[in-house]
Amino acid sequence: MEPVVERIVATIGDVSCSSPVTGPGTVHVGGLDVALGEVRPGTPVAWSLTNAGDAPVRVRSVAVVFRLPGITGPLRMLRHGYQSWSRTDVAVFGVDRDPSTTPGSVEMMQGIHHADQRRALDGELRSEWLTVLRDAGGRSMLAGFDAGVEHDGTWRLRPSGDPGATPELWAEAFLGDAQLGPGESRALHPFVTEPVADGDVCAALDRWARRVGSLGGARISAPYQVGWCSWYHYFHGVTEQHVRDNLSLAGNWPFEVFQIDDGYQSAIGDWLTTNEKFPSSLDALAGVIAAAGRRPGIWLAPFIVAPDSEIARRHPEWLARFADGQPLWGMVNPEWGGGRGGVMYALDTTRPEVLAHIEEVCRSLVEAGFTYLKLDFTFAPSFDGVWSDPSCTPAQRVRAGYEAVRRGAGDGTFLLGCGVPLSHVVGLVDGNRIGPDVAPSWSLPGTAVTLPGYEATAPATLHSWASTLSRSFMHRRLWLNDPDCLMLRTDETDLTVEAITTWAHAVAVSGGMALVSDDLALLGAGARSLLDDVVVIGRAADRAAIEGAAPRCEDLMDAAVPTTLTAAGYALTADPATATSTLSRPA
């Protein structure tokens, strides 16, 4: 499968312009000069753009459009998700649809789960950062961007417009209406298209991740992580006493990290003060955890604030805005309250004083003793809106926030990204959530409230399973994978024993982080034995990844939900419909 360059398309605001491409050189399109290097399979393509006019322009995107000659349908596409919780699956062109085109789709969900929050075209499929295509003849091709630091990279399969013609593949640099001044030039992230030798998609994904991690200075040296987290038993209702009770029961458990999750803060945005459920100060809590021999960890959502938070009241000028001047929404979660029914505002990470504030918050948390920070809902700076510096792309806004976190936290603090556009944070985070939230149920309960098109991003252990297998190749290449927490309890859960075991073994064989999130008082000898098994397998799989053998998901391109994962001689196979599985071990 060898794509052929046809044209370049530039989108300025809502207007798209197109110019044909005949070879390497500069193409004038829509008032922009786009310089395109030689396009050869397996070689990164260099390109850049320049504002050729005498007035500023807002560039939404620039794309190189390829024909895909000679393919045999149906054509399958690996759709890699935008951020931690976004679905990664395999879709069939002409059969499946982009979730944004689902009737009733909500634009905020589109912004959370795609670089471009606008509705996709009818018949279009898209993937963020990278993709794999495979036709009915078994020919496969990987396509990926080298980075996502300066802008997003989106791969789009679109109908060509000619009946019976093969689809077009778009390599899109998404700049999100970033403003370019007259004569201003910007280098764009190189991208590569390469045939998959012998159809070995796992090996191709591993090569791509190694390259991107090396180019981005990926932080992959942290030790294998085992810990406890408060979220999946206590949720927002967690109290200081809950934390202390579990710490007192953790004596012989192999936890290195002990993390307080959402529920301690006085308000979203006011991270240094606790609420009435946590009468002790943060430094006192960190001291108690450290005295028990664990690394203190804490959760925060550093880029959003509640309307009634102290920070929002004191600094309304720090908020990004809608076009009408109202504060830009960065998330909606009724559980948080905040004075507007759970609406949270996005901090403007293009303002130096906002970055200084984020830096100081993280420095203060580390000085209090928390050297493990979980950073959540960090997609907020990517939304369309009015930002203080209009020249910044969404990727640059997210990246700037994370850079401020790292400056404040220091090099020795473990940063765990969550709800983050994955391509933006290579080289800044030590670990990254790579799937939706688990839940005390395997699939979505019938009573679950979801938004049209995005059901597979809602909390359910099945959804975590799918992402853990689909993104297993990223572990120890771009960061340490965080599949999300183990679910060990057999009380206060709808998970069967088979489902608990299947998920635990998926976490183990992936080599990713192993965090428990149950009330330890509910866990007996069976749960402890399962955790010990997870740690043994996980350390072996993690060690294999470090030594060069990444986990492999052999049936990644065969079904929407993959079924197999292998690493370090272990092979896990499951039936996603029933949550039953078999695990074979090294001889």
Side-chain angles (χ1 to χ4, degrees):
M1 187 183 298
E2 188 169 324
V4 177
V5 178
E6 272 206 337
R7 65 190 188 279
I8 289 177
V9 176
T11 302
I12 312 296
D14 294 322
V15 179
S16 294
C17 302
S18 176
S19 292
V21 173
T22 57
T26 298
V27 176
H28 187 75
V29 52
L32 301 175
D33 286 338
V34 180
L36 183 68
E38 187 176 3
V39 179
R40 292 185 298 162
T43 302
V45 178
W47 59 323
S48 63
L49 63 88
T50 301
N51 178 4
D54 56 6
V57 294
R58 293 290 190 102
V59 181
R60 188 140 187 103
S61 63
V62 180
V64 179
V65 181
F66 296 89
R67 284 187 295 112
L68 297 173
I71 64 170
T72 305
L75 182 63
R76 302 175 71 83
M77 181 188 207
L78 175 67
R79 294 190 293 188
H80 182 258
Y82 176 55
Q83 51 106 340
S84 301
W85 317 322
S86 302
R87 184 178 189 179
T88 293
D89 66 0
V90 172
V92 179
F93 185 75
V95 175
D96 296 307
R97 65 191 306 166
D98 188 273
S100 69
T101 65
T102 304
S105 178
V106 177
E107 187 172 4
M108 186 170 196
M109 288 295 286
Q110 296 166 197
I112 287 173
H113 292 291
H114 307 280
D116 185 352
Q117 69 187 54
R118 297 178 183 176
R119 183 184 185 275
L121 296 181
D122 289 337
E124 173 184 337
L125 300 178
R126 57 178 160 171
S127 181
E128 308 291 354
W129 201 9
L130 75 150
T131 188
V132 175
L133 304 180
R134 191 179 75 184
D135 73 0
R139 292 179 301 169
S140 300
M141 179 186 76
L142 180 144
F145 283 83
D146 279 357
V149 173
E150 304 299 336
H151 60 81
D152 287 283
T154 300
W155 296 93
R156 299 179 185 265
L157 274 180
R158 284 182 166 174
S160 66
D162 298 325
T166 59
E168 297 175 340
L169 177 66
W170 291 46
E172 177 184 88
F174 182 74
L175 282 77
D177 296 323
Q179 180 173 289
L180 273 69
E184 181 182 350
S185 297
R186 295 198 186 190
L188 301 175
H189 291 308
F191 62 85
V192 67
T193 61
E194 60 175 301
V196 177
D198 302 320
D200 192 342
V201 170
C202 296
L205 289 169
D206 185 49
R207 286 194 302 273
W208 174 84
R210 284 175 181 270
R211 171 181 168 79
V212 171
S214 177
L215 291 171
R219 295 174 63 96
I220 53 176
S221 62
Y224 179 76
Q225 301 287 303
V226 183
W228 183 87
C229 163
S230 64
W231 180 246
Y232 288 106
H233 186 85
Y234 301 105
F235 298 97
H236 298 281
V238 66
T239 68
E240 179 177 331
Q241 194 59 51
H242 291 145
V243 174
R244 289 179 179 269
D245 288 346
N246 280 275
L247 191 61
S248 70
L249 295 170
N252 67 346
W253 289 76
F255 302 140
E256 293 142 2
V257 174
F258 213 81
Q259 184 218 313
I260 303 171
D261 214 288
D262 184 6
Y264 71 90
Q265 67 279 355
S266 58
I268 297 296
D270 296 337
W271 307 113
L272 303 180
T273 52
T274 57
N275 57 46
E276 66 280 356
K277 298 185 284 104
F278 282 78
S280 298
S281 63
L282 289 178
D283 54 352
L285 287 167
V288 169
I289 295 170
R294 322 292 182 182
R295 184 177 197 174
I298 200 163
W299 172 95
L300 66 157
F303 308 151
I304 57 175
V305 296
D308 63 357
S309 65
E310 182 68 16
I311 197 68
R313 288 197 298 263
R314 288 175 54 197
H315 294 287
E317 74 279 8
W318 287 6
L319 306 178
R321 301 280 165 175
F322 286 110
D324 64 3
Q326 293 300 306
L328 181 68
W329 294 13
M331 184 57 192
V332 178
N333 184 352
E335 295 286 345
W336 284 335
R340 291 197 59 189
V343 170
M344 300 291 123
Y345 298 153
L347 287 173
D348 187 342
T349 56
T350 71
R351 297 180 70 102
E353 59 271 34
V354 169
L355 298 177
H357 163 73
I358 293 169
E359 180 178 338
E360 183 56 33
V361 166
C362 294
R363 180 178 296 110
S364 297
L365 289 171
V366 172
E367 288 175 349
F370 292 99
T371 59
Y372 175 108
L373 303 182
K374 179 181 176 182
L375 311 162
D376 210 348
F377 299 95
T378 48
F379 49 72
S382 71
F383 291 156
D384 288 350
V386 178
W387 302 83
S388 178
D389 184 350
S391 71
C392 289
T393 66
Q396 289 171 328
R397 297 194 296 261
V398 173
R399 180 85 179 182
Y402 267 88
E403 288 173 339
V405 170
R406 176 55 76 185
R407 285 194 301 271
D411 189 61
T413 297
F414 189 99
L415 297 185
L416 175 63
C418 190
V420 59
L422 298 184
S423 69
H424 301 175
V425 294
V426 175
L428 291 177
V429 298
D430 302 280
N432 232 344
R433 270 283 296 282
I434 45 86
D437 284 11
V438 294
S441 59
W442 180 253
S443 53
L444 274 180
T447 57
V449 178
T450 60
L451 293 173
Y454 297 91
E455 294 84 358
T457 69
T461 306
L462 171 61
H463 301 162
S464 303
W465 160 275
S467 288
T468 295
L469 272 63
S470 300
R471 287 171 163 168
S472 58
F473 68 92
M474 294 181 165
H475 181 62
R476 290 290 183 186
R477 303 296 181 259
L478 304 174
W479 42 65
L480 275 66
N481 276 3
D482 173 19
D484 205 11
C485 293
L486 301 161
M487 303 294 285
L488 299 179
R489 64 183 183 264
T490 54
D491 295 320
E492 301 183 29
T493 181
D494 292 330
L495 290 168
T496 65
V497 172
E498 290 82 5
I500 290 169
T501 303
T502 294
W503 173 236
H505 285 160
V507 172
V509 178
S510 78
M513 298 166 60
L515 299 176
V516 174
S517 193
D518 296 297
D519 178 354
L520 296 180
L522 297 178
L523 303 185
R528 175 57 194 271
S529 177
L530 182 56
L531 175 62
D532 289 344
D533 198 33
V534 167
V535 172
V536 169
I537 298 170
R539 289 191 186 280
D542 183 55
R543 190 179 314 112
I546 293 171
E547 293 172 353
R552 293 176 62 90
C553 178
E554 300 288 357
D555 65 342
L556 176 61
M557 296 298 296
D558 297 334
V561 180
T563 66
T564 64
L565 186 65
T566 61
Y570 294 90
L572 176 66
T573 302
D575 179 351
T578 63
T580 57
S581 62
T582 58
L583 176 69
S584 63
R585 300 171 184 266

